[in-house]
Amino acid sequence: MNIALIGYGKMGQAIEALALAAGHSISHRIGIHNTDELQQISSATTDVAIEFTHPEAAYANVMHCLQQGVPVVCGTTGWLEQKAEVEAWVQAHGGAFFWASNFSIGVNLFFQVNQYLARLMEKVPGYEVQIEEIHHIHKKDAPSGTAITLAEGILQELSRKKGWANELKEDPETLPIISIREAEVPGTHSIRWQSATDLLELKHEAFSRQGFASGALQVAQWLPGRTGVFGMDDFLSL
Ligand SMILES: NC(=O)C1=CN([C@@H]2O[C@H](COP(=O)(O)OP(=O)(O)OC[C@H]3O[C@@H](n4cnc5c(N)ncnc54)[C@H](O)[C@@H]3O)[C@@H](O)[C@H]2O)C=CC1
Ligand SMILES: O=C(O)C1=N[C@H](C(=O)O)C[C@H](O)C1
């Protein structure tokens, strides 16, 4: 396959290494210094685009590819409002758009366990819940996209919480997400359920970016030929 890498930073380069080792070609490598090259991406040059850039850049990058009939795998976090516009565009005009807050297979199993535990906790008052995410100091957005997905999973199941906030609040109806930025941590997420007598903790710790990159490449191999808006539950049939 010919793969366009939009965003050639930590993730773009990790995906490139895996893609070349798997026998794929890179049609374009686009970073902040050659954004003009985006205009050259078309279905003539590219079978699938993989977009890992910046919250402010993702919308335009993704829309260009979709308008050119190029399927897009996007992992950029922190642009949720505009993402909804992209999804509406695909529903109206066709194309293939895949987004995940986290492409690691382990994290997507963790999402399922998180939601299952929240469903049990709905029947057990007396446990307070909080999410903590720890990432490297270069990360642009907070809370992480993964932490937001975890919060959404809990909110779907737990009627005593009405929303989340990226701070510790006294309000018992708000689910706190604590964001910590530390050294070069690739991504650690914990959900803590605490009662007066005990603590129940779920934790996922990425050891490197390999899991994210491998998941994104697997999805890029799966997406061409499909039409619609997809996420990891579709890919993994969860
Ligand atoms: N969904 C997932 O599994 C994962 C998502 N991410 C997300 O992916 C994004 C990128 O992460 P990293 O690669 O670690 O960041 P990075 O900062 O290492 O790389 C971002 C790259 O995007 C480029 N860029 C910025 N604006 C651009 C534009 N307008 N057009 C083209 N390129 C542009 C920069 O030059 C840079 O090379 C972040 O939003 C991060 O949260 C990161 C890891 C996993
Ligand atoms: O910026 C990162 O590095 C990561 N971003 C994603 C997120 O916001 O959840 C996924 C992963 O945790 C790494």
Side-chain angles (χ1 to χ4, degrees):
M1 280 195 318
N2 288 319
I3 301 175
L5 294 174
I6 310 179
Y8 194 56
K10 292 181 283 298
M11 281 303 296
Q13 291 176 43
I15 292 165
E16 176 183 43
L18 296 180
L20 293 175
H24 299 297
S25 304
I26 307 301
S27 58
H28 304 271
R29 293 170 182 81
I30 300 180
I32 195 70
H33 301 299
N34 64 334
T35 52
D36 291 355
E37 193 177 329
L38 181 73
Q39 301 308 318
Q40 295 172 26
I41 298 181
S42 73
S43 54
T45 67
T46 300
D47 300 305
V48 61
I50 305 183
E51 208 272 1
F52 280 81
T53 62
H54 186 279
E56 284 168 19
Y59 177 81
N61 292 336
V62 168
M63 284 307 299
H64 170 82
C65 295
L66 292 171
Q67 284 163 349
Q68 292 297 316
V70 175
V72 190
V73 176
C74 177
T76 303
T77 51
W79 64 295
L80 284 177
E81 282 169 27
Q82 287 178 303
K83 188 171 80 62
E85 275 182 48
V86 168
E87 291 169 355
W89 189 93
V90 170
Q91 305 294 6
H93 299 95
F97 174 61
F98 193 115
W99 181 83
S101 62
N102 198 308
F103 281 90
S104 142
I105 307 301
V107 161
N108 284 276
L109 300 177
F110 181 62
F111 287 154
Q112 300 288 320
V113 176
N114 170 55
Q115 204 161 344
Y116 179 69
L117 181 57
R119 199 172 306 146
L120 297 180
M121 288 295 185
E122 173 69 1
K123 299 174 200 144
V124 187
Y127 279 85
E128 260 308 317
V129 58
Q130 98 174 18
I131 297 174
E132 180 189 273
E133 55 104 345
I134 311 175
H135 282 86
H136 52 94
I137 54 172
H138 317 286
K139 187 161 176 59
K140 304 287 186 305
D141 54 320
S144 68
T146 306
I148 295 174
T149 306
L150 288 166
E152 286 169 348
I154 293 170
L155 292 172
Q156 271 180 38
E157 307 293 340
L158 197 70
S159 59
R160 57 186 186 267
K161 295 290 175 198
K162 306 293 182 212
W164 59 263
N166 196 200
E167 59 184 325
L168 266 177
K169 274 193 169 183
E170 288 304 309
D171 174 15
E173 294 193 335
T174 300
L175 164 56
I177 305 178
I178 311 304
S179 297
I180 297 170
R181 297 290 169 260
E182 197 177 292
E184 298 298 334
V185 175
T188 301
H189 292 86
S190 307
I191 305 119
R192 297 198 186 100
W193 294 88
Q194 189 164 341
S195 75
T197 54
D198 59 5
L199 170 69
L200 204 165
E201 182 169 11
L202 296 179
K203 179 175 175 183
H204 179 275
E205 179 179 353
F207 298 151
S208 72
R209 292 183 175 79
Q210 283 296 106
F212 313 137
S214 162
L217 182 62
Q218 288 177 56
V219 168
Q221 294 169 155
W222 175 89
L223 188 62
R226 292 184 157 83
T227 304
V229 173
F230 301 100
M232 289 300 275
D233 289 358
D234 303 305
F235 173 65
L236 296 169
S237 303
L238 291 173

